[in-house]
Amino acid sequence: MLDIPSLLRVDVVPVTAAQIDMGVCDAIQRNAPVEEPTAMSAPHLPKVAGIDPTVPAPAHTAEPLPGLPTPPIAPGAMIQDKLAGWVSDLTTLHELTERLIRTGTVDEALREVLRAGAALVGARRGMAVLEPADGLGPTTTIGLGLAHADIGTIETVPRSATSYGRILDDLPDEPLAERRRPGAVAVPDLFADEGLDPRHREVAARLGYAASYAVPLVTGTAGRLGAAVWLYDEPAEPAEARRHLVGLYGQYASEHLARLVELERGRAEMATIAEELLPSRLPRVPGVRLAARHRTGPQGGGDWYDALPLPEGALGLAVGSVSGAGPSALAAMGRLRASLRAYAVMEGEDPVAVLSDLELLLRLTEPARSATALFAYAEPAHRRIVLAGAGHTPPLIVGERRTEFVETSLSAPLGMLACWEAPSVELAPEPGETVLLYTDGLLRRTGDSMDRAFARLHAAAATVPAADRSDPGAVADHVLRTVLPDGGTGDEDVVVLAARFE
């Protein structure tokens, strides 16, 4: 039994009592026995699929008597409604930020910001402009529901005449730690604005939008990052509660974008360093044509390649991979490549000796690091190749009559054994055949097991179109495009070095 305090008193106003009485009478009348309908009864409702017209309508409380005042709403009900609204808004904001935090690139984050903002402000299209204030990039423009041509058309409008342009121009370049965060810009009816730029009016009419709502993307430490604008098909603007929500979301999105921008810059710097450590151009040696492709991983791996002319018309080809990632791996890769070039010039005709000297250097100077490498001594005039590998993937020969892996001896990577040694392998490519040297990143990025990855690589090489077989660059591009159609998974570097023998 409930214990109700004696101090609690319930007052029932006369109007409420009358409504309760009428509701009880209605219920009694509805529960009375059903009699035969008279001639004056209303006609039966038509039959609709899934609805039985003979079933009586659900009970409702009678309408208040005309002329009587409506009973006041209890203050507790109003508080409950507000709390329910706040909980709903916080839940929505939490779900949207959870989706945003899963994005790993700037473009993905901008697209998610546009989708989430469109749901919050009730728009169908939008555009996000990334333009960091420090000028170091990256800069990009992403659209939602807008084609590239539509974005280009919007960009023909003078920047100062657009809502997002006014935000970008008004944002200071320095950090905003001591400044007031700029607000959003709402244009509820573009065509009602007499001062609207003529070009803006023309573009809005062509693309079919009549209102816009823009918010800044800015942080207290990084300063200006960009702006996001959403476009309405008809004159409209978000309600105050929605503005508050999109403002909170924009603050969180700006912080997330600032972190991604820093990561993007770091990746770009690592890729630039890696490219500088690799050959700027490939040598031209009679009897062979060369092409190389290099894809740097997000963290900057240590995969490398090299091709250097040797005495008597010979050619040295090398690919390798250093363990680890980041600046240290790049530095080790540069040292290893430079050392191999020196050993190749001195004793390139013996690939085993080249790799033995390289292994000794690695073990003495960097005992905590390992590496894989493959060095090939090629004589294009005689179509003869002698190669040796240290824990590296076997080369692949691609031609009209055969597509097969070169059988190399199993050996350990450099730096793994006290004394490295492995026999060399000799092969003779036919005229028109291409020898592919590659790193294991090409296989690991497939996400498959190594056996399936090798089979996938073999199938890609076997399906090179006949028109592309004469171009080693086209062969390498076809293999990359077929093995990794979407770039693959993982953070490994990818190197492909193709040598076509005439």
Side-chain angles (χ1 to χ4, degrees), residues 343-344 346-360 375 388 420-424:
Y343 296 143
M346 293 187 295
E347 48 190 3
E349 67 278 0
D350 186 359
V352 174
V354 171
L355 293 183
S356 297
D357 293 341
L358 193 65
E359 194 274 337
L360 178 61
F375 178 74
W420 179 89
E421 186 175 356
S424 60

Side-chain angles (χ1 to χ4, degrees), residues 35-62:
E35 299 178 356
E36 291 294 329
T38 61
M40 298 299 294
S41 298
H44 291 284
L45 294 175
K47 291 186 178 180
V48 181
I51 300 177
D52 186 1
T54 61
V55 177
H60 296 283
T61 303

